[in-house]
Amino acid sequence: MACTGLLRLLLWAGLGASAGATPVWCFSRLEEDAGGGACAELLSEERVPLADCCLNPAYGYKLRPQGHCHTCRQGSWGPWGPWTSCSVTCGEGTQRRGRSRSPTGDEDPRDWELRACELPCCPEPGGWSPWSPWGSCSVTCGAGTQGRSRACADPAPRCGGGCGPGEAEERRGCEGRTPKCPVGGSWGPWGPWGSCSGSCRGSGRSPGRSRSRRCDSPPPSTEPPGAACAGAGTETEPCPGLRPCPEDGAWGAWSEAAPCAVTCGLGVVTLRRACDAPPPRHGGRGCQGNSTRRALCGPHGACPEVQHWGPWGTWTPCEQRPWGAMSCQAMVGRQRRTRQCVGLRAGGPPCPIEDGISTIQLRACYNIQHCLLPGNWSDWSAWGLCTPPCGASPTRKRIRECQPTYPPYPPTVTPLGSAIPVNVTFWGAPRPRCPLLDGRPLRVEEARPCLHVRPCPAPHED
């Protein structure tokens, strides 16, 4: 394959000693879906060094085709991988999923979650049916065998179960009748020639026609068996006067690549080929497969940090100026929280404003921090994840909590100088009061072990 100077063929022939030299499958996009995280848009079927792939922090990679999807962004968690299959084929077991991030010092670059799973169908054994009567003897003279059988159907097994020890078939010897004199067979006359096996001639193809005769003048005896006719029952000859066969086409060499379109990291170029080595002849088929393919180009140095909004900080306490915190009263206060534009460069564009909000967000609030409120017990929550996800004897829990009954303060308020009402949010951790449940005033917890847990992969495994 011929390429321009901007295209480097990344055919990895050996591994380097450092992690950056590890060959990986490189992807230009990460995405989340209902089944977990995924690497999308594979750059090329060729593996590339990890360091080259991660010159662009927006890229992702896999160490093996069916392995975890890793992110190139330094210190950021990649998407969650899909849940594994249940650790059992029936009953209660566990499933695990993981995610990873680019290593930052001595921290573990992997994170795991473990949850319980249950499959209702367990194997149930079946039973053997009675033996069938003995069959006929295998020969009509001399020593032969006869057999009988039974089925695993009394009752039939369920959910992958089987029957107990024993076989489904049984054979024994049997005695034949007194043999008769064998009669040897003789050939009858040849039949007419048949049609040709093909309609054209070409390289490596020689269509022919055939005729046959029968061993019936007379046929060999069967009780006891007589000698068969000597020689072949069919004969073949080449077909004359056939036209040339169609010749299929074959691909020519790939064209040179266009210049690389990216200025940092790895990019992709398109290569082309023609069906002209040779072209199809005599009605032959065209070339199978694609006339274009993608190939890697670069790398061209590290890419800048992906510009994006960082996470929102925590809300400030709910206060009403100039008095400060006004708790346990129907007085409307205000809170604020902030966020940063990560990857912002001097002279570069700012992060895009989302829903009219950039770096500061405000909201109206009622302060109920440490307020005594009546409460009611919640229903049991769903069972949580199994913890620890990779340690010994993981357990899962569910809880009931004493939840406060919030005071009937107005849910909206109209600020001064505005005709548009805004929502008011309760803020703070109140102190609810519920009747004791199992001797507990605020929280009741139930735990059970997670069963049939597979071990986590070793640190050097993906």
Side-chain angles (χ1 to χ4, degrees):
M1 177 176 61
C3 300
T4 65
L6 292 176
L7 176 64
R8 186 174 73 175
L9 297 180
L10 299 174
L11 299 176
W12 194 257
L15 304 184
S18 66
T22 302
V24 298
W25 281 269
C26 192
F27 296 80
S28 62
R29 187 163 58 88
L30 304 176
E31 63 182 18
E32 292 274 358
D33 55 32
C39 287
E41 296 184 6
L42 177 66
L43 280 183
S44 173
E45 294 296 335
E46 304 166 355
R47 289 193 294 174
V48 302
L50 172 59
D52 287 354
C53 180
C54 286
L55 287 170
N56 192 327
Y59 282 9
Y61 64 91
K62 290 184 179 183
L63 299 178
R64 56 187 180 87
Q66 304 304 322
H68 288 303
C69 178
H70 302 258
T71 177
C72 283
R73 185 179 298 173
Q74 188 72 14
S76 297
W77 288 110
W80 285 106
W83 290 101
T84 63
S85 60
C86 197
S87 62
V88 296
T89 57
C90 69
E92 184 177 323
T94 55
Q95 296 173 281
R96 182 180 283 108
R97 69 176 181 176
R99 61 179 179 174
S100 63
R101 64 179 174 183
S102 299
T104 55
D106 296 331
E107 298 179 1
D108 188 349
R110 298 184 303 173
D111 189 22
W112 302 98
E113 283 188 344
L114 185 70
R115 71 180 182 184
C117 54
E118 187 170 356
L119 300 175
C121 188
C122 284
E124 295 182 12
W128 291 110
S129 66
W131 285 104
S132 67
W134 288 102
S136 59
C137 196
S138 61
V139 298
T140 58
C141 64
T145 59
Q146 60 184 160
R148 63 177 182 174
S149 63
R150 59 180 178 176
C152 183
D154 191 18
R158 297 182 67 250
C159 301
C163 276
E167 302 295 334
E169 294 185 355
E170 187 177 57
R171 301 195 70 80
R172 69 180 183 185
C174 57
E175 295 295 332
R177 295 191 296 271
T178 302
K180 298 178 181 179
C181 293
V183 176
S186 297
W187 291 111
W190 286 103
W193 287 103
S195 58
C196 283
S197 60
S199 58
C200 65
R201 56 180 173 79
S203 176
R205 303 181 62 179
S206 300
R209 60 179 183 176
S210 62
R211 62 178 182 176
S212 61
R213 56 181 177 176
R214 302 179 61 183
C215 185
D216 59 359
S217 299
S221 62
T222 57
E223 294 184 13
C229 295
T234 60
E235 66 177 9
T236 302
E237 70 176 11
C239 294
L242 297 179
R243 61 181 179 84
C245 291
E247 296 181 14
D248 297 338
W251 290 112
W254 289 102
S255 66
E256 291 190 359
C260 196
V262 300
T263 58
C264 66
L266 292 173
V268 178
V269 294
T270 300
L271 306 180
R272 305 180 185 279
R273 60 181 178 175
C275 186
D276 59 0
R281 299 175 58 195
H282 308 305
R285 294 178 302 175
C287 298
Q288 303 298 310
N290 298 323
S291 61
T292 63
R293 79 166 193 171
R294 290 150 54 96
L296 297 177
C297 61
H300 298 290
C303 294
E305 173 65 40
V306 179
Q307 185 173 300
H308 64 281
W309 284 112
W312 284 106
T314 57
W315 288 102
T316 61
C318 183
E319 297 179 339
Q320 187 182 65
R321 296 180 178 179
W323 302 283
M326 305 294 293
S327 62
C328 310
Q329 302 180 49
M331 299 184 65
V332 179
R334 191 175 71 169
Q335 295 174 275
R336 61 180 285 173
R337 65 177 181 176
T338 61
R339 64 180 177 177
Q340 299 296 323
C341 180
V342 180
L344 182 63
R345 296 177 296 278
C351 287
I353 296 177
E354 300 172 350
D355 299 327
I357 303 172
S358 57
T359 58
I360 301 176
Q361 190 175 29
L362 304 174
R363 71 177 183 183
C365 56
Y366 294 118
N367 190 329
I368 55 172
Q369 179 75 354
H370 303 312
C371 297
L372 293 175
L373 299 178
N376 292 293
W377 286 101
S378 68
D379 294 330
W380 283 109
S381 69
W383 286 103
L385 296 172
C386 299
T387 56
C390 293
S393 304
T395 59
R396 54 182 176 143
K397 298 178 181 179
R398 63 176 184 172
I399 62 171
R400 293 185 69 181
E401 292 184 303
C402 177
Q403 297 180 338
T405 301
Y406 292 97
Y409 297 162
T412 61
V413 65
T414 303
L416 292 176
S418 174
I420 301 175
V422 297
N423 294 327
V424 186
T425 301
F426 285 102
W427 175 86
R431 299 164 60 188
R433 292 290 184 265
C434 293
L436 292 179
L437 181 62
D438 292 340
R440 303 282 183 173
L442 296 176
R443 177 185 174 100
V444 178
E445 187 175 280
E446 185 179 56
R448 66 170 55 175
C450 295
L451 307 178
H452 306 105
V453 181
R454 298 188 182 104
C456 276
H460 63 278
E461 295 177 335
D462 181 34

